[in-house]
Amino acid sequence: MAVSTICLVACLLLLGSANAERKLQGVYEPQYPLGHWNSIGVAGSPVGMTTWCGLRDFPPIPDGYGAARMLCGGVTRVYDPYWMWKLTKVPSTLYPEPLASNASDIETGEPVNLRIFNPMLTFCERRSNGQLWCGVEFSKASVFTAEVVGKPGNIGVVIDFAVDQIYLRSGSGLNNYCRVKGSSNGAYVYCNAPATLAMPFSMPYSHKAPVTLTNVLTSKRCGANFIPLQGVSSEVNCTGDDTTWKNFYTGLVIAAELPGGPVLIANASYAVLSYDNLYHYQVAAWDAGANGTVDSISNDTEQRSLYFHFERAGAKAGEALVSGDVIAIKSKRNGKYCGVKTETGVLTCDMLASPTNTSGYLFLLTL
């Protein structure tokens, strides 16, 4: 999604903070998208058989604060790795803070919040007319429950987000089920329908963070300057370490081209993203240019040249990649393997043969 750039220099103020969650307006908000995140799709809506969801008129002007309507159609209809959603457990004695990490083992009937990482405030709210708005603080967040499609009445069943479709319901009322009303750029989500009109949502896993890629030749992490200030290159290289200027992002978000299961798999294609630590609507993505050079481009995740295949020697397509694997990265755009020729060289996708013994073209994967 192309996103207007609202902040530039101001973003640098919080780059590199050590906290994973930031206390903002009385609630912890994720500073980094730790763990697994999902995408949301709708089947059987008025806008098509398979439609993805995002936010309308986003980010809010002038500073990114404020809520936006949840949209499933029009400009969000096609899958965009920019959007990151999840369900998280409502705070309790077991989960005393509404942290974005409270997302494992969501069960049917369990009270949850619907979250989206991209706004400054990440919670979603069902308003008085039933419409869903996202980008509010926790005190305004609505409580939802999820029911697995095809298993009505089942309580306490762990949801398998890789394959299950779910009905979402806001609160406990009989007419609080969620569905899409309208079409195209007016296809908004309302949670005021009876069960007979509920629409099935799918929330496949799509994002994993933080991920680091350490180049075997340089023994340093790969990344790029997040904000391309004057005189600062946005080209990707593998020179990052703990002393690197904090505008140089090496904690990466890996986003699947085809959302599905919770693990990275061999030979699948992924986008390599970085999100600003405070202004979450700001994103940078690795992009393989026509000449093979990999740049970090800002606020445009609709480019098809963003995707790369992750390969491990000897691994069959579909096998899981794990932390500690040494992998090769191949540009989906030109079909060539990517690497660096020197310790300070720019990441370039220019090798045809599999780089089994070429250290500059091999990377240590850390999940």
Side-chain angles (χ1 to χ4, degrees):
M1 178 182 182
V3 181
S4 59
T5 303
I6 295 177
C7 82
L8 282 176
V9 177
C11 298
L12 290 172
L13 297 178
L14 279 95
L15 293 177
S17 172
N19 296 321
E21 307 273 342
R22 55 189 170 89
K23 197 70 177 286
L24 186 64
Q25 298 194 19
V27 66
Y28 284 98
E29 291 287 353
Q31 187 167 350
Y32 309 111
L34 299 178
H36 295 289
W37 288 72
N38 310 63
S39 295
I40 295 183
V42 181
S45 75
V47 290
M49 292 304 294
T50 303
T51 301
W52 297 99
C53 306
L55 299 182
R56 184 78 164 107
D57 300 324
F58 185 82
I61 295 173
D63 58 1
Y65 282 94
R69 293 164 290 182
M70 184 175 177
L71 175 70
C72 300
V75 294
T76 71
R77 180 182 60 83
V78 176
Y79 170 72
D80 186 341
Y82 174 74
W83 302 110
M84 300 176 60
W85 299 82
K86 69 165 56 178
L87 296 178
T88 58
K89 299 173 187 289
V90 171
S92 64
T93 55
L94 184 61
Y95 298 96
E97 296 283 359
L99 302 180
S101 57
N102 296 346
S104 60
D105 293 337
I106 299 294
E107 298 178 355
T108 54
E110 184 174 24
V112 293
N113 296 124
L114 178 62
R115 310 279 294 271
I116 178 170
F117 181 76
N118 307 86
M120 297 292 288
L121 301 170
T122 61
F123 293 89
C124 296
E125 171 192 19
R126 175 189 179 271
R127 297 200 168 171
S128 58
N129 66 347
Q131 190 173 20
L132 281 194
W133 289 68
C134 299
V136 303
E137 60 192 90
F138 174 68
S139 63
K140 296 180 179 179
S142 296
V143 175
F144 295 83
T145 55
E147 302 173 10
V148 176
V149 175
K151 299 178 182 178
N154 284 356
I155 302 297
V157 175
V158 175
I159 299 170
D160 184 351
F161 289 105
V163 296
D164 287 340
Q165 290 187 340
I166 59 174
Y167 295 121
L168 286 173
R169 182 169 60 162
S170 173
S172 57
L174 295 177
N175 294 321
N176 287 344
Y177 285 87
C178 301
R179 63 170 175 163
V180 174
K181 294 170 63 177
S183 61
S184 189
N185 289 320
Y188 300 119
V189 178
Y190 290 82
C191 296
N192 56 3
T196 55
L197 296 179
M199 283 185 173
F201 289 80
S202 60
M203 294 187 67
Y205 296 100
S206 52
H207 296 73
K208 171 67 175 172
V211 176
T212 58
L213 295 168
T214 302
N215 185 265
V216 173
L217 172 66
T218 70
S219 298
K220 293 188 176 182
R221 299 187 294 270
C222 303
N225 290 302
F226 186 83
I227 301 171
L229 302 173
Q230 184 175 3
V232 175
S233 172
S234 63
E235 295 173 331
V236 176
N237 62 60
C238 301
T239 62
D241 58 29
D242 293 337
T243 66
T244 305
W245 184 39
K246 297 307 180 182
N247 186 41
F248 189 87
Y249 277 32
T250 60
L252 307 171
V253 180
I254 304 301
E257 183 177 18
L258 297 174
V263 297
L264 302 185
I265 57 176
N267 297 342
S269 56
Y270 298 96
V272 182
L273 311 175
S274 298
Y275 287 81
D276 189 274
N277 293 342
L278 175 62
Y279 299 90
H280 295 169
Y281 51 84
Q282 301 277 7
V283 63
W286 290 13
D287 175 69
N291 63 353
T293 299
V294 180
D295 286 291
S296 181
I297 62 171
S298 297
N299 297 325
D300 189 354
T301 51
E302 294 176 340
Q303 301 289 331
R304 295 302 95 189
S305 53
L306 299 181
Y307 291 103
F308 300 84
H309 293 286
F310 286 10
E311 299 182 3
R312 185 184 72 220
K316 297 178 181 179
E319 287 186 3
L321 299 175
V322 299
S323 192
D325 280 346
V326 175
I327 65 170
I329 300 173
K330 183 166 66 175
S331 167
K332 187 174 180 181
R333 178 175 185 174
N334 67 10
K336 296 179 181 179
Y337 291 92
C338 311
V340 297
K341 293 180 172 61
T342 65
E343 291 191 354
T344 59
V346 174
L347 189 69
T348 304
C349 305
D350 60 356
M351 180 176 286
L352 285 172
S354 180
T356 306
N357 297 310
T358 308
S359 61
Y361 287 71
L362 296 173
F363 304 85
L364 175 66
L365 177 69
T366 306
L367 304 176

